Amino acid sequence: MRYANIGKRSLAFFLDLIIWLVLTSIIYGLVAVFIPALFPALFKDITTTSTGASDQLFWLIFIIVGWPYHSINHSSPRQATLGKRAFGIIVSDLNENQISFGRATGRYFCFVLFTVLVLVDFLSVPFTDNNQALHDLITRTVVIEK
């Protein structure tokens, strides 16, 4: 088993981040247009858009969109998001088996917690034998080269 290095993982992450941001922006745009149109009574007293609320809604949608994108792709027979596929790496359990949707979901939310909220997720990669990030260690997964 050949573990993916931090370089490949980072490049795959940034490609996935671009895809994730595009999907989020599309859904955010649809929500921002259609929700007030469908429920005008909820928005009749709002004269200006609150930037803080708007930003919070965007990041909430970002996290919600990321969940199926990452979890479905990592638990599929391909075992990889589009970014990981582009760099020839996959996610598996410690025995190189496909992971379940539940494990992929746990992996995603650990990733969100340690990356987005704490900013320490990938610090462990260079120091572990299997190049595992914190979310990999917790969910007992590895990222390997195909």
Side-chain angles (χ1 to χ4, degrees):
M1 183 173 351
R2 187 169 172 191
Y3 301 103
N5 64 38
I6 189 75
K8 277 191 176 185
R9 290 186 71 161
S10 296
L11 291 170
F13 170 75
F14 285 116
L15 181 54
D16 280 327
L17 183 60
I18 292 167
I19 294 165
W20 191 1
L21 284 168
V22 167
L23 291 171
T24 300
S25 297
I26 291 167
I27 293 171
Y28 174 77
L30 292 171
V31 167
V33 168
F34 289 111
I35 295 298
L38 292 172
F39 304 102
L42 295 174
F43 297 92
K44 71 178 180 176
D45 294 332
I46 299 174
T47 56
T48 60
T49 303
S50 168
T51 304
S54 178
D55 289 348
Q56 291 172 357
L57 179 60
F58 180 85
W59 292 114
L60 177 64
I61 292 171
F62 180 77
I63 291 170
I64 292 169
V65 166
W67 170 47
Y69 174 73
H70 287 88
S71 298
I72 290 169
N73 280 300
H74 288 154
S75 64
S76 75
R78 292 188 189 119
Q79 297 177 259
T81 57
L82 296 174
K84 285 183 179 67
R85 282 186 238 164
F87 291 94
I89 57 179
I90 62 170
V91 174
S92 72
D93 69 8
L94 299 176
N95 297 316
E96 296 186 56
N97 298 314
Q98 179 179 337
I99 64 173
S100 68
F101 181 78
R103 183 178 279 189
T105 294
R107 185 178 188 276
Y108 171 72
F109 284 107
C110 285
F111 164 78
V112 168
L113 175 68
F114 292 120
T115 303
V116 177
L117 301 178
V118 186
L119 302 174
V120 297
D121 191 44
F122 288 97
L123 292 179
S124 65
V125 173
F127 304 106
T128 62
D129 291 337
N130 301 341
N131 293 338
Q132 291 172 288
L134 290 175
H135 66 273
D136 292 316
L137 290 167
I138 290 169
T139 58
R140 301 178 45 99
T141 58
V142 289
V143 179
I144 58 176
E145 296 190 16
K146 276 169 99 175

